Amino acid sequence: MPTDELLAPMTQAVESVAATLLRAVLPPPSRTWAEFSAAFDGIDCPATDQLRTMLDSAVPGVAWLGDPAAADAEGWFADVTDGAVQYLQGLPHWCVTLSYVRGGRAEATVIHSATRAETYVATRGGGARLNGQSIQPSQKSDLGVCIAATNQPPFINRQPAAITEAARSLAKMLPIVGAVRNFGPTSLQIADTAAGRVDIFWEYGRDEENLLGAELIAQEAGLAVSDAHGEAWTANSASFLAVPKPLRDDVITALAAA
């Protein structure tokens, strides 16, 4: 099936799963890691099963990937509870993401926010859209009026260098932009940057699970996408930056400052 024809079954499956999650009765907030793990499995596992059942029926024969960054990987990769921490707290900042991945990069992506009734889609070379309308990044030219967003990979304690860089970069960005915020799931924040709602997004640490699909939306919308040093981003990169092209050099310079 051509990549652009995947978007319809992908969107239907993602929006169906998100609707199920939106209707679910949440457990009380977790008091311990064991409680959180049980609560997460209780919502993530059924949602994953629902997504797989729908897609396996609609597009038979496509593999489900465990390591989407592998050079020879081809198939589906999903995060059905992107923003699970917020979701389990009853906050609205979560989404369902699904990508068709080939050779370590997404070729088609759907990101759906049920609480906002919004769906981002993109295909490689086919553009990016929000609820069917083409999107484009911010047109701002002054960092002082920009809203920048950042986030950290899950289990960042396993990436001590990323903790150091996240703290250092925040200290560099806070004085030069209008505001720095964290609006929840990494993938949705990058999609919002692609649509010009947020002006800049950066992150330190390996986070291919959250970045692969969002990178496609950012690229197709026209953002400059790279690592924090301006080098081409890959699933193995230790940082990520999505920024309007006129601001790219200024942001890279700021992040590189000692």
Side-chain angles (χ1 to χ4, degrees), residues 62-65 72-77 99-103:
V62 178
W64 288 87
L65 302 179
D72 60 348
E74 181 171 356
W76 301 123
F77 187 77
S99 294
Y100 181 77
V101 176
R102 183 189 298 123

Tab-separated table of all heavy atoms in Angstrom, residues 62-65 72-77 99-103:
chain	number	residue	atom	x	y	z
A	62	VAL	N	1.791	-6.165	8.221
A	62	VAL	CA	2.800	-5.165	8.607
A	62	VAL	C	3.321	-5.513	9.999
A	62	VAL	O	2.543	-5.759	10.925
A	62	VAL	CB	2.210	-3.744	8.599
A	62	VAL	CG1	3.264	-2.730	9.050
A	62	VAL	CG2	1.699	-3.396	7.207
A	63	ALA	N	4.629	-5.520	10.150
A	63	ALA	CA	5.243	-5.889	11.424
A	63	ALA	C	5.067	-4.783	12.463
A	63	ALA	O	4.897	-3.605	12.119
A	63	ALA	CB	6.724	-6.167	11.219
A	64	TRP	N	5.133	-5.183	13.723
A	64	TRP	CA	5.164	-4.235	14.842
A	64	TRP	C	6.588	-4.199	15.376
A	64	TRP	O	7.165	-5.237	15.672
A	64	TRP	CB	4.172	-4.634	15.931
A	64	TRP	CG	2.764	-4.397	15.500
A	64	TRP	CD1	1.956	-5.243	14.810
A	64	TRP	CD2	2.010	-3.207	15.720
A	64	TRP	NE1	0.737	-4.667	14.571
A	64	TRP	CE2	0.736	-3.409	15.126
A	64	TRP	CE3	2.263	-1.993	16.341
A	64	TRP	CZ2	-0.268	-2.443	15.137
A	64	TRP	CZ3	1.270	-1.028	16.367
A	64	TRP	CH2	0.028	-1.243	15.769
A	65	LEU	N	7.150	-3.004	15.487
A	65	LEU	CA	8.572	-2.856	15.772
A	65	LEU	C	8.839	-2.720	17.262
A	65	LEU	O	8.145	-1.987	17.967
A	65	LEU	CB	9.128	-1.624	15.058
A	65	LEU	CG	8.970	-1.613	13.532
A	65	LEU	CD1	9.542	-0.315	12.973
A	65	LEU	CD2	9.663	-2.820	12.905
A	72	ASP	N	17.380	-1.625	9.593
A	72	ASP	CA	16.587	-2.487	8.725
A	72	ASP	C	15.138	-2.622	9.184
A	72	ASP	O	14.383	-3.447	8.667
A	72	ASP	CB	17.221	-3.877	8.639
A	72	ASP	CG	17.317	-4.562	10.004
A	72	ASP	OD1	17.099	-3.882	11.027
A	72	ASP	OD2	17.625	-5.770	10.037
A	73	ALA	N	14.732	-1.798	10.150
A	73	ALA	CA	13.373	-1.897	10.694
A	73	ALA	C	12.354	-1.328	9.710
A	73	ALA	O	12.572	-0.277	9.108
A	73	ALA	CB	13.276	-1.150	12.020
A	74	GLU	N	11.237	-2.030	9.553
A	74	GLU	CA	10.133	-1.525	8.756
A	74	GLU	C	8.832	-2.035	9.347
A	74	GLU	O	8.651	-3.240	9.530
A	74	GLU	CB	10.234	-1.957	7.295
A	74	GLU	CG	9.086	-1.402	6.439
A	74	GLU	CD	9.278	-1.632	4.952
A	74	GLU	OE1	10.335	-2.149	4.561
A	74	GLU	OE2	8.358	-1.285	4.181
A	75	GLY	N	7.936	-1.119	9.672
A	75	GLY	CA	6.652	-1.509	10.233
A	75	GLY	C	6.061	-0.431	11.112
A	75	GLY	O	6.454	0.737	11.059
A	76	TRP	N	5.094	-0.826	11.953
A	76	TRP	CA	4.393	0.105	12.823
A	76	TRP	C	5.195	0.351	14.094
A	76	TRP	O	5.784	-0.562	14.671
A	76	TRP	CB	3.039	-0.454	13.243
A	76	TRP	CG	2.068	-0.775	12.165
A	76	TRP	CD1	1.474	-1.996	11.949
A	76	TRP	CD2	1.513	0.114	11.189
A	76	TRP	NE1	0.603	-1.924	10.897
A	76	TRP	CE2	0.601	-0.636	10.406
A	76	TRP	CE3	1.705	1.458	10.888
A	76	TRP	CZ2	-0.110	-0.078	9.355
A	76	TRP	CZ3	1.009	2.013	9.834
A	76	TRP	CH2	0.110	1.264	9.081
A	77	PHE	N	5.129	1.594	14.555
A	77	PHE	CA	5.619	1.913	15.893
A	77	PHE	C	4.640	2.893	16.522
A	77	PHE	O	4.277	3.903	15.908
A	77	PHE	CB	7.022	2.527	15.876
A	77	PHE	CG	7.576	2.687	17.260
A	77	PHE	CD1	8.082	1.594	17.945
A	77	PHE	CD2	7.545	3.913	17.901
A	77	PHE	CE1	8.545	1.729	19.240
A	77	PHE	CE2	8.016	4.051	19.186
A	77	PHE	CZ	8.533	2.955	19.859
A	99	SER	N	3.274	5.645	13.927
A	99	SER	CA	4.100	5.912	12.740
A	99	SER	C	4.353	4.630	11.971
A	99	SER	O	4.436	3.539	12.557
A	99	SER	CB	5.449	6.523	13.138
A	99	SER	OG	5.299	7.799	13.698
A	100	TYR	N	4.479	4.796	10.666
A	100	TYR	CA	5.007	3.727	9.816
A	100	TYR	C	6.470	4.067	9.592
A	100	TYR	O	6.800	5.127	9.047
A	100	TYR	CB	4.258	3.654	8.491
A	100	TYR	CG	4.752	2.541	7.600
A	100	TYR	CD1	4.385	1.226	7.837
A	100	TYR	CD2	5.611	2.816	6.530
A	100	TYR	CE1	4.850	0.202	7.024
A	100	TYR	CE2	6.073	1.799	5.714
A	100	TYR	CZ	5.694	0.494	5.968
A	100	TYR	OH	6.161	-0.516	5.177
A	101	VAL	N	7.347	3.183	10.033
A	101	VAL	CA	8.783	3.449	10.062
A	101	VAL	C	9.492	2.560	9.056
A	101	VAL	O	9.183	1.370	8.918
A	101	VAL	CB	9.342	3.196	11.482
A	101	VAL	CG1	10.854	3.361	11.508
A	101	VAL	CG2	8.685	4.141	12.483
A	102	ARG	N	10.447	3.162	8.349
A	102	ARG	CA	11.290	2.397	7.427
A	102	ARG	C	12.716	2.930	7.515
A	102	ARG	O	12.935	4.140	7.382
A	102	ARG	CB	10.782	2.520	5.987
A	102	ARG	CG	11.590	1.689	4.976
A	102	ARG	CD	11.206	1.983	3.533
A	102	ARG	NE	9.822	1.646	3.270
A	102	ARG	CZ	8.918	2.519	2.797
A	102	ARG	NH1	9.279	3.786	2.574
A	102	ARG	NH2	7.687	2.136	2.558
A	103	GLY	N	13.662	2.044	7.785
A	103	GLY	CA	15.066	2.435	7.789
A	103	GLY	C	15.418	3.474	8.827
A	103	GLY	O	16.250	4.352	8.584
